[in-house]
Amino acid sequence: AVTVFIYRNMCLNQWAFCNISVTPGMQTWKKYYLHRSNIEHKMISGQPSVDYTCKAIRGHQGEIQDMAYLSPNEHTFAMGKVKSIVCTASGDGTVKAWDVQEGTQIWSSPKQEMKLVQVITIPQHNLVVTRDLHGTIKLWHGDTGKELGAFSTESTFCPTVAYTINNKPFLSVATSSEKIYTLAVPDLSQISCINPFPNCSVDLSPCSPDGQSIVVLPLDSNEAPKVLYTHYATNPEDDQLMFSSPLPVNKCAFVTCWLPAEPARIALMHRIDQCDNITTFDITIQKSKNKMNIMGKFL
């Protein structure tokens, strides 16, 4: 028992996040610590072309604007060979998928009219999402690069978030016209269009780990963030409360981060009197027979 306690503390002191339950062959804290320490030692002491291989990704005719892993991003530190696939969006108007270990191109999309500025992946459904400079959202098959759907926002500013509800993927897209569109996947048909802040454009946080919440950040410093409940954004016919009340945080929140220890705990960076502050909330959804409340509980 003492040994378990010692190795557990060593792991938690060394690394911010440890989870032996999802790591194959790492059922004890001792095995996990020794295995992960060995990996880090090899990374530090390794020599190019002897202990590891560095592959250059070449093929784009323009600057790479964004990239995302298509392979699952599970930090398991597992033994054995793991294939990693990364997708890149470029100013040359193409999105490409690459085998990271080999440094080879798997597929490339046809050249688009405008340069691509964002790429999002949905690994569990093997899908790739791109956004171009004029706000056209497109969906691509992760194996072949085949185009599956397109949606035009006609907005140069349109942050896009992908999430899954009951194993079904969706996209939410904010625009400079103050609207948030929710799109079905894979055809990118419009499910809903909402306006959370009249006369104010918004940015979007990533979706919470439990898939239920997206924090909507107004770009007007006089407004406070709200929480978008994804279930009703994807099922507008339910006619229930879609947004929380404004979160009890000073205006001008501009950075968010979901904390993995809880299903819906978020840290918001915001500015008070020219100083940056971080405030943490647990987002809770309370349902009763005739009413539902979306709340941010201050921690």
Side-chain angles (χ1 to χ4, degrees), residues 159-296:
T160 303
V161 176
Y163 51 94
T164 301
I165 300 176
N166 296 326
N167 203 36
K168 187 175 180 180
F170 298 91
L171 297 179
S172 285
V173 185
T175 69
S176 56
S177 61
E178 306 151 14
K179 299 175 181 177
I180 299 177
Y181 295 96
T182 299
L183 309 178
V185 172
D187 62 349
L188 299 188
S189 58
Q190 180 179 320
I191 298 175
S192 65
C193 178
I194 49 183
N195 187 345
F197 295 95
N199 305 315
C200 176
S201 299
V202 299
D203 199 357
L204 302 177
S205 78
C207 191
S208 60
D210 63 7
Q212 296 190 64
S213 305
I214 296 173
V215 176
V216 182
L217 303 169
L219 300 184
D220 185 341
S221 60
N222 293 318
E223 299 283 355
K226 294 181 181 180
V227 179
L228 169 64
Y229 185 35
T230 57
H231 172 78
Y232 291 118
T234 56
N235 297 274
E237 67 278 2
D238 284 358
D239 194 28
Q240 295 286 338
L241 181 65
M242 196 174 295
F243 289 97
S244 71
S245 300
L247 293 178
V249 63
N250 285 56
K251 314 298 190 293
C252 211
F254 52 90
V255 178
T256 62
C257 177
W258 294 101
L259 305 181
E262 299 293 336
R265 177 170 293 175
I266 192 165
L268 285 84
M269 180 178 287
H270 55 102
R271 185 157 293 168
I272 303 176
D273 297 329
Q274 304 303 313
C275 294
D276 292 340
N277 293 262
I278 296 177
T279 303
T280 305
F281 296 95
D282 275 342
I283 306 302
T284 60
I285 300 169
Q286 299 180 349
K287 299 179 182 178
S288 61
K289 185 175 181 180
N290 299 315
K291 188 177 180 182
M292 183 185 73
N293 290 318
I294 308 168
M295 297 181 296

Side-chain angles (χ1 to χ4, degrees), residues 5 10 24 38 57 103 145 179 215 225 258:
F5 176 79
M10 290 170 66
N38 184 48
I57 293 178
K179 299 175 181 177
V215 176
W258 294 101

Side-chain angles (χ1 to χ4, degrees), residues 38-47 52:
N38 184 48
I39 290 176
E40 291 193 352
H41 175 73
K42 289 181 178 180
M43 292 170 63
I44 294 171
S45 62
Q47 298 178 356
Y52 62 86

Side-chain angles (χ1 to χ4, degrees), residues 71-72 74 76-85 99-101:
S71 45
E74 297 175 354
T76 61
F77 304 96
M79 307 289 264
K81 186 176 181 180
V82 179
K83 184 176 180 180
S84 295
I85 298 174
D99 184 315
V100 173
Q101 276 78 14

Side-chain angles (χ1 to χ4, degrees), residues 58-60 96-99 103-108:
R58 294 188 177 93
H60 282 297
K96 299 178 185 289
W98 308 85
D99 184 315
T104 54
Q105 178 180 303
I106 300 173
W107 55 261
S108 175

